[in-house]
Amino acid sequence: MSAVVLSPTPNPEPKTQNHAGAARACRHCGSPLLEARMRESGFCCAGCAYVFRLVHEHGLAGYYNIKDDITAPADVAVFQPRDFTWLAEAQSAAETEVGRVSDPPHQTPPSLLLSLQGISCAGCVWLIERLFSQQPGARDIEVNAQLGQARLRWIAGKFSSLEFARKLQPFGYLLGPAGETPPASESRALLKRVGLCAAFAMNVMLFTLPAYFGMERTFAYAQLFSLLSLAFGTLSFLVGGAYFLGRAVRALREGALHIDLPIAIGIVGAYAGSLYGWLADEPRFVYFDFVATFIVLMLVGRWAQTAAVERNQRRLLAQQPAPQRIKLADGTSLAPEQLHANQLFLAASGQTAPVESRLESADADFSLASINGESEPRTIRTGQRVPAGAINVSRDPARLTALEPWSDSLLAQLLSHGGERHRADSRHVFLEKIIRGYLLGIVATAALAGLSWWLVSRDALLTWSVVTSILVVSCPCAIGLAFPLADEMATVALRRRGVFVRDGSLWSRLHRARQLVFDKTGTLTLETPVLQNPEVLAALAPDARAALFTLVRDNAHPLSECLLENLLTSTSSASGESNLGYFAPPASAVEIRETVGQGVEFLAASSTWSLGRPGWRTAPSGSAAPHDMDFAHNGIALARFRFADTVRPNARAEITSLAARGFRIRILSGDRREKVSSLAAELGLAPGDAVGELTPQQKAAWLEAHDAGATLMLGDGANDSLAFDRALCRGTPVIHRGVLESKSDFYYLGRGIGGLRALFDVNSIRRRTQFVILIFSVVYNALAVGLAVAGHMNPLVAAILMPVNSLLTLALVTGGMRRAFAR
């Protein structure tokens, strides 16, 4: 057995440094480095260090010049083996189909459409394309970053999709079966409207400006220009105005005052008045240039807001792991939803039991962390029940008998998308008050002004002109353009800090949060235990390190995963040379035996290597903690590894800061009470604010009884799902399990919880900026409407005031939100 030692890692300067030269942002993902040891290494986690090195080993360092500044940290999945046999079967079927329909055979290259997890930016697309081109028999690959899909084409008989999938995985990308085609992007549809309406607006201005510059009505082409202005103005109204009008009508049917209502009224009023002026041959009442320009501005504001949220949604959804199929005892496979009671199935190492089951095979260890928050795996004996959602962390597959169908499973309930009560009912009360006040004020002013002018002049055309002018110049830019733009800028500013808003309605609810509820395992603590003495691992001889790698490879136990991460990223302290990388498989196949609840061992060249609890294969020596593991050769301990569940970096400081803002901080966990109480004490929380040993249903009930409508909850596992459905706002720090991501309003990257404080900081800036915009809008409308009421408004004045107002509003938004981008 030998270790493959790769060449030393290139060591470019990190992107961000402090005065001492230590990195402040991870060299791979860009996440903040919150601990001294992170800043010294330049990486936030072992996964990022490993992927960073692989990128340079393959000569693909150009990736770091293309990628986004902040991307997802490398998942532990880069270290874990996955079963890609389904992919080999899919490739074979694709080649068979091409051979059947192609004449001559293989004239058309076989292809596969696959889902692609982990892609987040243009750099990812570039990297994946380069890795694909390095594969024998590869022809071309089309990567769709928006949909998280890839289409492969290859030369039959020369290309291996299995090897390509295995090559992608260490870089943080996972291939899976293609899922359903996602719905069409709203932002893309809006962008099409923007393009068309911008073209219409330019044409309207082209044929309207001559009139402003003195073109006589007797000019030969005056009537043609007027007709073209009407045509392009009408097209703009039908293409862009219909968008706002339709949304406003739908909101009114539901009894809500939507932001699109005042926009729709302004557009309809201006268009109707202009159409009447054109039919009556009164050019001074025609505002088609205003109509077209206003529609473009409103569409641009809405597109910017929608595109920012959709980008975050695409990045998140692209990283959800593909659903695992269940392998039955007869060798066939099916989706979890098709599983029935009394069916015998297999749960491979690392796979989840989808329903409550009975263990038929030998004893096995299962992790219940995602169900009840217990960080330590539990040993299940033959014949005992395995809870739904339990993960097999033993090396061997577990034979299970389903005791219930999927529809009755606790996991099915936790993964359901019901209970969206607070999200559906949470309307933007503040904005609705503004809209209501705006509408009442403008409609009342227009009605009174119209009545007054009618009584004075008895001129219907003049009266309608005044009413139309009021509706035109009372430009709702603050509502239609500035508010969405402020939301979009807040979303972008947060993305630079590693926080991703995936539901735009979060902004309407966030200010109502008064209580912060945290899950414990994986939210306040790190997902996997942390090796407390890595220097012991670094001191091992190469053959011992290779043996240890053999023991922890293909092992889903959390402690084995932790050792594997450290093995792949550690540096030999003895030689000073880089020992990062991976180890080759042993020269001859070895059988690894597992004693459930104790450890693993194998025999090679008359030598026995073991890793397990102290005293299992070694003589007892000294005191041992519950998480300790001994690594031994022929019964002689070579190293004792110590592990601990670790609080996320800077968690106490962040909790203290949030409490100082007036938030009530609580912890809800399914883990043991003593562990939850200990964590609360470490974070400086009162004992009564930390509750342990809660089932998922009890978490949800607790939240209902403790002001769920004012609660922001953070969780990461299926056991938080029911409580998520009750909370006002919800977020997750983990984006790799595919459980809570689709329910979350936001998620954040990195190993700390500083993203939560950033969320409230940026929201405060956003609200202050919008308040300033409102004050400016009130002053502008008072002056503009005053001119219209006095009869001094005409198309030229309106055409000047509207863009000036829009530009001033945009300047206020830009200036007010500038502080959100300061770090």
Side-chain angles (χ1 to χ4, degrees):
M1 183 181 306
S2 60
V4 176
V5 181
L6 302 181
S7 60
T9 304
N11 190 29
E13 290 297 317
K15 292 181 180 179
T16 308
Q17 293 184 334
N18 57 20
H19 66 278
R24 292 187 299 175
C26 179
R27 295 178 183 175
H28 174 68
C29 70
S31 299
L33 302 180
L34 303 177
E35 295 179 321
R37 61 180 180 82
M38 294 181 183
R39 290 188 286 271
E40 291 175 2
S41 67
F43 300 101
C44 66
C45 61
C48 283
Y50 180 55
V51 176
F52 179 85
R53 184 174 179 281
L54 283 183
V55 168
H56 285 85
E57 287 287 339
H58 285 76
L60 301 173
Y63 162 76
Y64 293 102
N65 298 324
I66 306 172
K67 68 179 288 289
D68 287 352
D69 290 338
I70 297 179
T71 55
D75 188 282
V76 293
V78 303
F79 304 114
Q80 299 168 348
R82 293 179 68 90
D83 183 9
F84 288 112
T85 53
W86 63 269
L87 185 54
E89 296 171 359
Q91 177 181 348
S92 177
E95 292 179 352
T96 301
E97 179 66 15
V98 168
R100 184 177 64 82
V101 302
S102 180
D103 187 24
H106 307 309
Q107 182 177 6
T108 302
S111 68
L112 272 179
L113 180 65
L114 302 170
S115 65
L116 183 60
Q117 288 91 39
I119 187 170
S120 61
C121 63
C124 296
V125 175
W126 180 85
L127 185 63
I128 292 168
E129 289 175 345
R130 295 302 184 277
L131 291 172
F132 180 79
S133 66
Q134 295 176 2
Q135 295 296 111
R139 287 187 58 132
D140 63 273
I141 180 172
E142 298 175 4
V143 179
N144 190 324
Q146 293 185 347
L147 302 182
Q149 292 180 338
R151 180 173 292 278
L152 317 181
R153 295 184 183 86
W154 64 90
I155 300 174
K158 296 184 178 181
F159 176 78
S160 171
S161 59
L162 187 75
E163 292 303 317
F164 177 56
R166 288 173 177 169
K167 186 171 185 177
L168 274 185
Q169 182 189 344
F171 289 87
Y173 307 109
L174 298 177
L175 289 175
E180 297 180 358
T181 302
S185 166
E186 182 182 357
S187 65
R188 178 166 293 186
L190 278 171
L191 191 59
K192 293 178 181 178
R193 291 180 188 264
V194 170
L196 287 172
C197 289
F200 297 150
M202 287 189 289
N203 280 280
V204 172
M205 295 301 296
L206 177 66
F207 297 115
T208 303
L209 284 175
Y212 290 148
F213 290 111
M215 182 183 69
E216 298 291 339
R217 297 182 63 188
T218 57
F219 180 64
Y221 296 105
Q223 290 300 318
L224 176 61
F225 284 5
S226 177
L227 179 62
L228 290 173
S229 295
L230 166 65
F232 286 111
T234 301
L235 288 172
S236 182
F237 175 78
L238 294 176
V239 173
Y243 170 81
F244 296 102
L245 184 59
R247 290 171 61 91
V249 170
R250 287 194 296 271
L252 286 175
R253 287 175 179 172
E254 298 175 1
L257 291 177
H258 195 271
I259 188 175
D260 293 324
L261 183 58
I263 300 174
I265 289 177
I267 292 173
V268 171
Y271 178 77
S274 300
L275 182 61
Y276 177 80
W278 189 88
L279 293 173
D281 196 24
E282 292 287 346
R284 68 182 187 275
F285 302 138
V286 177
Y287 297 85
F288 288 125
D289 50 343
F290 168 85
V291 172
T293 307
F294 178 65
I295 288 174
V296 171
L297 287 175
M298 296 302 100
L299 286 174
V300 168
R302 187 58 49 82
W303 168 80
Q305 180 189 35
T306 304
V309 172
E310 283 188 350
R311 181 182 181 187
N312 294 343
Q313 291 175 338
R314 289 194 299 265
R315 178 189 296 237
L316 180 64
L317 296 174
Q319 293 173 339
Q320 292 182 5
Q324 294 176 310
R325 293 183 64 83
I326 303 302
K327 187 174 182 179
L328 301 180
D330 59 6
T332 61
S333 64
L334 46 75
E337 295 79 3
Q338 299 173 308
L339 195 61
H340 300 292
N342 299 318
Q343 280 188 300
L344 188 64
F345 67 96
L346 300 177
S349 180
Q351 193 169 20
T352 301
V355 299
E356 185 174 351
S357 311
R358 182 176 59 250
L359 181 63
E360 305 292 352
S361 56
D363 300 352
D365 284 339
F366 285 85
S367 171
L368 307 181
S370 64
I371 299 300
N372 61 13
E374 291 183 13
S375 54
E376 299 93 350
R378 181 188 299 179
T379 299
I380 306 260
R381 307 296 179 186
T382 304
Q384 290 184 338
R385 294 197 172 198
V386 178
I391 301 173
N392 179 18
V393 295
S394 297
R395 296 186 62 89
D396 298 326
R399 295 174 66 250
L400 303 168
T401 297
L403 300 179
E404 60 184 359
W406 168 259
S407 58
D408 295 339
S409 168
L410 171 63
L411 189 61
Q413 299 175 33
L414 298 180
L415 296 182
S416 69
H417 289 266
E420 298 291 306
R421 176 171 57 83
H422 285 295
R423 179 172 297 182
D425 294 344
S426 60
R427 288 154 57 172
H428 202 318
V429 178
F430 177 63
L431 188 56
E432 287 194 10
K433 288 180 179 179
I434 295 173
I435 295 173
R436 188 179 295 112
Y438 172 86
L439 292 176
L440 290 175
I442 293 302
V443 172
T445 301
L448 290 174
L451 179 61
S452 300
W453 276 93
W454 169 252
L455 293 175
V456 172
S457 66
R458 299 292 178 175
D459 186 336
L461 186 60
L462 180 60
T463 299
W464 179 245
S465 172
V466 171
V467 172
T468 302
S469 297
I470 292 172
L471 294 177
V472 168
V473 300
S474 59
C475 175
C477 284
I479 299 174
L481 179 61
F483 272 40
L485 183 59
D487 289 352
E488 188 268 344
M489 293 183 72
T491 302
V492 173
L494 283 173
R495 188 161 59 224
R496 294 188 178 184
R497 304 187 190 193
V499 182
F500 297 81
V501 176
R502 65 175 307 276
D503 189 333
S505 69
L506 171 67
W507 299 120
S508 68
R509 292 176 273 128
L510 191 58
H511 71 282
R512 292 160 51 191
R514 297 291 180 269
Q515 176 176 246
L516 304 181
V517 173
F518 291 86
D519 175 46
K520 169 188 168 287
T521 307
T523 303
L524 285 174
T525 63
L526 295 174
E527 295 177 78
T528 56
V530 174
L531 180 63
Q532 300 298 296
N533 54 344
E535 67 281 355
V536 174
L537 178 64
L540 291 175
D543 61 336
R545 290 167 61 86
L548 182 60
F549 174 79
T550 302
L551 290 168
V552 298
R553 184 187 56 184
D554 304 333
N555 195 329
H557 194 284
L559 300 184
S560 294
E561 291 180 352
C562 176
L563 281 175
L564 181 61
E565 291 181 35
N566 281 271
L567 271 171
L568 294 177
T569 55
S570 62
T571 302
S572 172
S573 60
S575 64
E577 297 179 355
S578 172
N579 206 22
L580 304 173
Y582 52 85
F583 296 85
S588 57
V590 296
E591 179 184 357
I592 298 178
R593 300 189 301 267
E594 178 180 20
T595 302
V596 174
Q598 297 295 327
V600 290
E601 59 184 338
F602 74 90
L603 178 66
S606 301
S607 295
T608 300
W609 299 87
S610 63
L611 177 69
R613 294 183 181 275
W616 171 55
R617 287 290 184 263
T618 59
S621 59
S623 59
H627 282 319
D628 287 357
M629 295 184 72
D630 277 357
F631 173 53
H633 180 218
N634 292 331
I636 300 174
L638 301 180
R640 172 165 294 180
F641 302 117
R642 303 185 183 278
F643 304 87
D645 292 330
T646 304
V647 177
R648 288 183 177 270
N650 288 356
R652 173 155 188 162
E654 295 295 334
I655 292 291
T656 301
S657 175
L658 292 169
R661 291 169 176 255
F663 291 107
R664 181 75 181 272
I665 313 295
R666 306 287 190 102
I667 300 176
L668 300 183
S669 177
D671 209 349
R672 298 195 305 271
R673 288 191 179 93
E674 58 271 19
K675 296 185 67 175
V676 178
S677 298
S678 175
L679 176 64
E682 185 176 352
L683 296 176
L685 299 179
D689 289 336
V691 186
E693 298 183 11
L694 294 178
T695 65
Q697 294 85 348
Q698 289 172 334
K699 280 190 176 184
W702 187 98
L703 212 59
E704 287 281 9
H706 293 81
D707 204 6
T711 296
L712 185 152
M713 182 173 182
L714 289 103
D716 73 313
N719 60 330
D720 301 313
S721 181
L722 298 181
F724 248 44
D725 291 336
R726 272 70 174 178
L728 171 69
C729 308
R730 45 276 192 126
T732 178
V734 181
I735 60 172
H736 305 289
R737 295 181 180 174
V739 177
L740 296 182
E741 290 82 352
S742 60
K743 289 187 176 186
S744 65
D745 298 311
F746 68 95
Y747 61 98
Y748 53 94
L749 307 179
R751 293 167 69 86
I753 61 171
L756 192 57
R757 184 156 54 94
L759 180 67
F760 289 110
D761 287 341
V762 171
N763 186 51
S764 296
I765 296 172
R766 182 194 67 88
R767 285 174 61 83
R768 285 196 297 269
T769 300
Q770 291 181 341
F771 181 76
V772 171
I773 292 169
L774 277 179
I775 299 299
F776 169 77
S777 182
V778 169
V779 173
Y780 161 81
N781 279 289
L783 294 174
V785 172
L787 287 172
V789 170
H792 300 307
M793 188 61 60
N794 58 55
L796 179 58
V797 176
I800 293 173
L801 282 179
M802 191 272 293
V804 169
N805 172 54
S806 300
L807 290 174
L808 289 175
T809 303
L810 293 177
L812 288 174
V813 175
T814 304
M817 294 300 299
R818 185 178 302 168
R819 288 173 297 169
F821 291 86
R823 297 187 59 180

